[in-house]
Short mmCIF file of all heavy atoms in Angstrom, two decimals:
data_model
loop_
_atom_site.label_atom_id
_atom_site.label_comp_id
_atom_site.label_asym_id
_atom_site.label_seq_id
_atom_site.Cartn_x
_atom_site.Cartn_y
_atom_site.Cartn_z
N GLU A 230 -7.02 21.32 -13.41
CA GLU A 230 -6.97 21.72 -14.81
C GLU A 230 -8.21 21.28 -15.60
O GLU A 230 -8.54 21.92 -16.59
CB GLU A 230 -5.71 21.21 -15.44
CG GLU A 230 -4.45 21.77 -14.79
CD GLU A 230 -3.21 21.25 -15.44
OE1 GLU A 230 -3.24 21.00 -16.68
OE2 GLU A 230 -2.17 21.10 -14.76
N VAL A 231 -8.85 20.17 -15.23
CA VAL A 231 -10.03 19.69 -15.98
C VAL A 231 -11.25 20.06 -15.29
O VAL A 231 -12.23 20.63 -15.83
CB VAL A 231 -9.98 18.12 -16.17
CG1 VAL A 231 -11.19 17.67 -16.92
CG2 VAL A 231 -8.69 17.78 -16.92
N THR A 232 -11.39 19.75 -13.98
CA THR A 232 -12.62 20.06 -13.21
C THR A 232 -12.71 21.52 -12.92
O THR A 232 -13.82 22.08 -12.87
CB THR A 232 -12.65 19.23 -11.90
OG1 THR A 232 -12.34 17.86 -12.16
CG2 THR A 232 -14.05 19.30 -11.30
N GLY A 233 -11.56 22.17 -12.63
CA GLY A 233 -11.59 23.62 -12.43
C GLY A 233 -11.56 24.07 -10.94
O GLY A 233 -11.84 25.22 -10.69
N PHE A 234 -11.20 23.17 -10.03
CA PHE A 234 -11.13 23.53 -8.61
C PHE A 234 -9.90 24.35 -8.37
O PHE A 234 -8.88 24.24 -9.09
CB PHE A 234 -11.09 22.29 -7.73
CG PHE A 234 -12.44 21.58 -7.60
CD1 PHE A 234 -12.65 20.34 -8.16
CD2 PHE A 234 -13.45 22.20 -6.85
CE1 PHE A 234 -13.86 19.74 -8.02
CE2 PHE A 234 -14.66 21.54 -6.75
CZ PHE A 234 -14.89 20.31 -7.28
N GLU A 235 -10.00 25.20 -7.35
CA GLU A 235 -8.81 26.02 -6.95
C GLU A 235 -7.82 25.09 -6.29
O GLU A 235 -8.15 24.04 -5.66
CB GLU A 235 -9.18 27.11 -5.97
CG GLU A 235 -10.14 28.16 -6.55
CD GLU A 235 -9.41 29.02 -7.60
OE1 GLU A 235 -8.21 29.20 -7.49
OE2 GLU A 235 -10.11 29.50 -8.45
N GLU A 236 -6.53 25.47 -6.34
CA GLU A 236 -5.47 24.67 -5.70
C GLU A 236 -5.74 24.41 -4.23
O GLU A 236 -5.49 23.31 -3.75
CB GLU A 236 -4.09 25.37 -5.85
CG GLU A 236 -3.52 25.27 -7.24
CD GLU A 236 -2.85 23.91 -7.57
OE1 GLU A 236 -2.73 23.16 -6.64
OE2 GLU A 236 -2.45 23.74 -8.69
N GLY A 237 -6.25 25.45 -3.55
CA GLY A 237 -6.49 25.27 -2.11
C GLY A 237 -7.59 24.34 -1.75
O GLY A 237 -7.68 23.88 -0.63
N THR A 238 -8.44 24.02 -2.71
CA THR A 238 -9.56 23.12 -2.50
C THR A 238 -9.16 21.63 -2.60
O THR A 238 -9.74 20.80 -1.90
CB THR A 238 -10.73 23.39 -3.49
OG1 THR A 238 -11.06 24.77 -3.47
CG2 THR A 238 -11.94 22.54 -3.25
N VAL A 239 -8.11 21.38 -3.34
CA VAL A 239 -7.72 20.01 -3.61
C VAL A 239 -7.32 19.25 -2.32
O VAL A 239 -7.76 18.10 -2.16
CB VAL A 239 -6.57 19.97 -4.67
CG1 VAL A 239 -6.04 18.53 -4.82
CG2 VAL A 239 -7.08 20.43 -6.00
N PRO A 240 -6.56 19.81 -1.39
CA PRO A 240 -6.26 19.11 -0.20
C PRO A 240 -7.53 18.63 0.58
O PRO A 240 -7.54 17.49 1.15
CB PRO A 240 -5.44 20.04 0.63
CG PRO A 240 -4.81 20.93 -0.38
CD PRO A 240 -5.80 21.08 -1.44
N VAL A 241 -8.54 19.48 0.62
CA VAL A 241 -9.75 19.09 1.28
C VAL A 241 -10.43 17.93 0.57
O VAL A 241 -10.89 16.94 1.21
CB VAL A 241 -10.72 20.34 1.35
CG1 VAL A 241 -12.07 19.90 2.02
CG2 VAL A 241 -10.10 21.44 2.07
N LEU A 242 -10.44 17.91 -0.72
CA LEU A 242 -11.01 16.81 -1.48
C LEU A 242 -10.21 15.51 -1.29
O LEU A 242 -10.78 14.46 -1.22
CB LEU A 242 -11.04 17.17 -3.00
CG LEU A 242 -11.91 18.41 -3.38
CD1 LEU A 242 -11.82 18.66 -4.85
CD2 LEU A 242 -13.35 18.14 -2.98
N LEU A 243 -8.89 15.67 -1.20
CA LEU A 243 -8.07 14.46 -0.96
C LEU A 243 -8.31 13.92 0.48
O LEU A 243 -8.17 12.69 0.70
CB LEU A 243 -6.58 14.77 -1.17
CG LEU A 243 -6.17 15.11 -2.59
CD1 LEU A 243 -4.72 15.46 -2.71
CD2 LEU A 243 -6.51 13.91 -3.53
N ILE A 244 -8.60 14.77 1.41
CA ILE A 244 -8.93 14.28 2.75
C ILE A 244 -10.25 13.49 2.67
O ILE A 244 -10.42 12.43 3.30
CB ILE A 244 -9.06 15.50 3.73
CG1 ILE A 244 -7.69 16.04 4.04
CG2 ILE A 244 -9.76 15.05 5.04
CD1 ILE A 244 -7.71 17.27 4.86
N ALA A 245 -11.21 13.98 1.89
CA ALA A 245 -12.49 13.26 1.71
C ALA A 245 -12.20 11.92 1.07
O ALA A 245 -12.78 10.84 1.46
CB ALA A 245 -13.39 14.06 0.85
N TYR A 246 -11.31 11.88 0.07
CA TYR A 246 -10.88 10.58 -0.54
C TYR A 246 -10.30 9.66 0.51
O TYR A 246 -10.62 8.47 0.62
CB TYR A 246 -9.90 10.89 -1.65
CG TYR A 246 -9.28 9.64 -2.24
CD1 TYR A 246 -9.87 8.94 -3.28
CD2 TYR A 246 -8.08 9.15 -1.73
CE1 TYR A 246 -9.27 7.83 -3.84
CE2 TYR A 246 -7.47 8.00 -2.24
CZ TYR A 246 -8.11 7.34 -3.29
OH TYR A 246 -7.52 6.20 -3.82
N GLY A 247 -9.37 10.20 1.38
CA GLY A 247 -8.74 9.41 2.39
C GLY A 247 -9.75 8.86 3.36
O GLY A 247 -9.63 7.74 3.80
N ALA A 248 -10.70 9.68 3.73
CA ALA A 248 -11.78 9.19 4.66
C ALA A 248 -12.57 8.11 4.06
O ALA A 248 -12.93 7.12 4.72
CB ALA A 248 -12.72 10.34 5.05
N ALA A 249 -12.83 8.15 2.72
CA ALA A 249 -13.56 7.15 2.04
C ALA A 249 -12.74 5.78 2.06
O ALA A 249 -13.30 4.73 2.22
CB ALA A 249 -13.84 7.50 0.62
N THR A 250 -11.45 5.88 2.00
CA THR A 250 -10.62 4.66 2.03
C THR A 250 -10.71 4.00 3.35
O THR A 250 -10.70 2.75 3.48
CB THR A 250 -9.11 4.94 1.66
OG1 THR A 250 -8.55 5.75 2.65
CG2 THR A 250 -9.02 5.58 0.32
N VAL A 251 -10.71 4.81 4.44
CA VAL A 251 -10.79 4.20 5.80
C VAL A 251 -12.15 3.48 5.97
O VAL A 251 -12.21 2.36 6.43
CB VAL A 251 -10.69 5.33 6.88
CG1 VAL A 251 -10.96 4.75 8.29
CG2 VAL A 251 -9.31 5.93 6.83
N ILE A 252 -13.23 4.13 5.50
CA ILE A 252 -14.54 3.50 5.59
C ILE A 252 -14.63 2.21 4.74
O ILE A 252 -15.10 1.17 5.21
CB ILE A 252 -15.65 4.49 5.11
CG1 ILE A 252 -15.72 5.69 6.06
CG2 ILE A 252 -17.02 3.84 4.99
CD1 ILE A 252 -16.54 6.85 5.55
N GLY A 253 -14.19 2.34 3.54
CA GLY A 253 -14.16 1.15 2.64
C GLY A 253 -13.31 -0.01 3.16
O GLY A 253 -13.73 -1.11 3.09
N ASN A 254 -12.17 0.32 3.70
CA ASN A 254 -11.30 -0.72 4.26
C ASN A 254 -11.97 -1.45 5.38
O ASN A 254 -11.90 -2.68 5.55
CB ASN A 254 -10.02 -0.05 4.74
CG ASN A 254 -9.03 -1.06 5.30
OD1 ASN A 254 -8.49 -1.90 4.55
ND2 ASN A 254 -8.76 -1.01 6.59
N THR A 255 -12.73 -0.71 6.22
CA THR A 255 -13.44 -1.32 7.39
C THR A 255 -14.51 -2.28 6.91
O THR A 255 -14.69 -3.38 7.39
CB THR A 255 -14.00 -0.21 8.33
OG1 THR A 255 -12.94 0.64 8.75
CG2 THR A 255 -14.69 -0.81 9.50
N ILE A 256 -15.28 -1.81 5.87
CA ILE A 256 -16.34 -2.64 5.38
C ILE A 256 -15.79 -3.90 4.71
O ILE A 256 -16.29 -5.04 4.96
CB ILE A 256 -17.14 -1.83 4.31
CG1 ILE A 256 -17.91 -0.69 4.97
CG2 ILE A 256 -18.20 -2.72 3.57
CD1 ILE A 256 -18.54 0.30 4.05
N VAL A 257 -14.75 -3.75 3.85
CA VAL A 257 -14.15 -4.90 3.22
C VAL A 257 -13.60 -5.86 4.20
O VAL A 257 -13.70 -7.09 4.09
CB VAL A 257 -13.08 -4.49 2.19
CG1 VAL A 257 -12.31 -5.67 1.65
CG2 VAL A 257 -13.69 -3.70 1.06
N GLY A 258 -13.00 -5.35 5.27
CA GLY A 258 -12.45 -6.20 6.35
C GLY A 258 -13.49 -7.08 6.97
O GLY A 258 -13.24 -8.22 7.32
N ARG A 259 -14.75 -6.57 7.08
CA ARG A 259 -15.85 -7.33 7.67
C ARG A 259 -16.25 -8.45 6.73
O ARG A 259 -16.83 -9.46 7.20
CB ARG A 259 -17.03 -6.41 7.98
CG ARG A 259 -16.79 -5.32 9.03
CD ARG A 259 -16.92 -5.88 10.40
NE ARG A 259 -16.70 -4.90 11.45
CZ ARG A 259 -16.84 -5.15 12.73
NH1 ARG A 259 -17.32 -6.32 13.10
NH2 ARG A 259 -16.58 -4.22 13.61
N LEU A 260 -16.12 -8.23 5.43
CA LEU A 260 -16.62 -9.17 4.47
C LEU A 260 -15.54 -10.12 3.89
O LEU A 260 -15.84 -11.17 3.33
CB LEU A 260 -17.26 -8.43 3.29
CG LEU A 260 -18.46 -7.50 3.64
CD1 LEU A 260 -18.88 -6.70 2.40
CD2 LEU A 260 -19.64 -8.33 4.15
N ALA A 261 -14.30 -9.76 4.09
CA ALA A 261 -13.17 -10.44 3.36
C ALA A 261 -13.08 -11.90 3.71
O ALA A 261 -12.73 -12.72 2.82
CB ALA A 261 -11.86 -9.79 3.71
N ASP A 262 -13.40 -12.33 4.94
CA ASP A 262 -13.26 -13.73 5.29
C ASP A 262 -14.23 -14.63 4.64
O ASP A 262 -13.90 -15.75 4.20
CB ASP A 262 -13.36 -13.86 6.89
CG ASP A 262 -12.23 -13.14 7.53
OD1 ASP A 262 -11.02 -13.49 7.33
OD2 ASP A 262 -12.48 -12.26 8.34
N ARG A 263 -15.51 -14.19 4.54
CA ARG A 263 -16.55 -15.07 3.97
C ARG A 263 -16.90 -14.79 2.58
O ARG A 263 -17.57 -15.56 1.88
CB ARG A 263 -17.79 -15.00 4.88
CG ARG A 263 -17.55 -15.46 6.34
CD ARG A 263 -18.87 -15.52 7.11
NE ARG A 263 -19.82 -16.47 6.52
CZ ARG A 263 -19.76 -17.78 6.79
NH1 ARG A 263 -18.84 -18.30 7.58
NH2 ARG A 263 -20.68 -18.60 6.23
N ARG A 264 -16.59 -13.60 2.08
CA ARG A 264 -16.88 -13.24 0.70
C ARG A 264 -15.64 -12.75 -0.02
O ARG A 264 -15.68 -11.70 -0.69
CB ARG A 264 -17.95 -12.14 0.72
CG ARG A 264 -19.32 -12.60 1.29
CD ARG A 264 -20.05 -13.49 0.41
NE ARG A 264 -21.35 -13.92 0.94
CZ ARG A 264 -21.56 -14.99 1.67
NH1 ARG A 264 -20.59 -15.80 2.00
NH2 ARG A 264 -22.80 -15.30 2.12
N THR A 265 -14.59 -13.47 0.07
CA THR A 265 -13.27 -13.05 -0.43
C THR A 265 -13.35 -12.66 -1.92
O THR A 265 -12.92 -11.56 -2.30
CB THR A 265 -12.20 -14.09 -0.18
OG1 THR A 265 -12.32 -14.55 1.14
CG2 THR A 265 -10.82 -13.60 -0.48
N VAL A 266 -13.79 -13.59 -2.76
CA VAL A 266 -13.79 -13.33 -4.20
C VAL A 266 -14.95 -12.37 -4.58
O VAL A 266 -14.75 -11.46 -5.37
CB VAL A 266 -13.93 -14.64 -4.99
CG1 VAL A 266 -14.06 -14.35 -6.47
CG2 VAL A 266 -12.75 -15.56 -4.69
N GLY A 267 -16.09 -12.58 -3.90
CA GLY A 267 -17.25 -11.72 -4.21
C GLY A 267 -16.95 -10.25 -3.94
O GLY A 267 -17.39 -9.36 -4.71
N VAL A 268 -16.25 -9.95 -2.86
CA VAL A 268 -15.90 -8.57 -2.52
C VAL A 268 -15.05 -7.98 -3.63
O VAL A 268 -15.21 -6.86 -4.06
CB VAL A 268 -15.14 -8.52 -1.20
CG1 VAL A 268 -14.44 -7.19 -1.04
CG2 VAL A 268 -16.10 -8.70 -0.04
#
Side-chain angles (χ1 to χ4, degrees):
E230 297 181 31
V231 179
T232 312
F234 285 110
E235 297 291 333
E236 285 280 355
T238 305
V239 174
V241 178
L242 297 177
L243 292 178
I244 289 174
Y246 171 88
T250 66
V251 173
I252 294 169
N254 183 67
T255 302
I256 295 170
V257 172
R259 295 278 179 174
L260 300 173
D262 295 301
R263 297 188 62 82
R264 296 288 181 268
T265 311
V266 176
V268 164

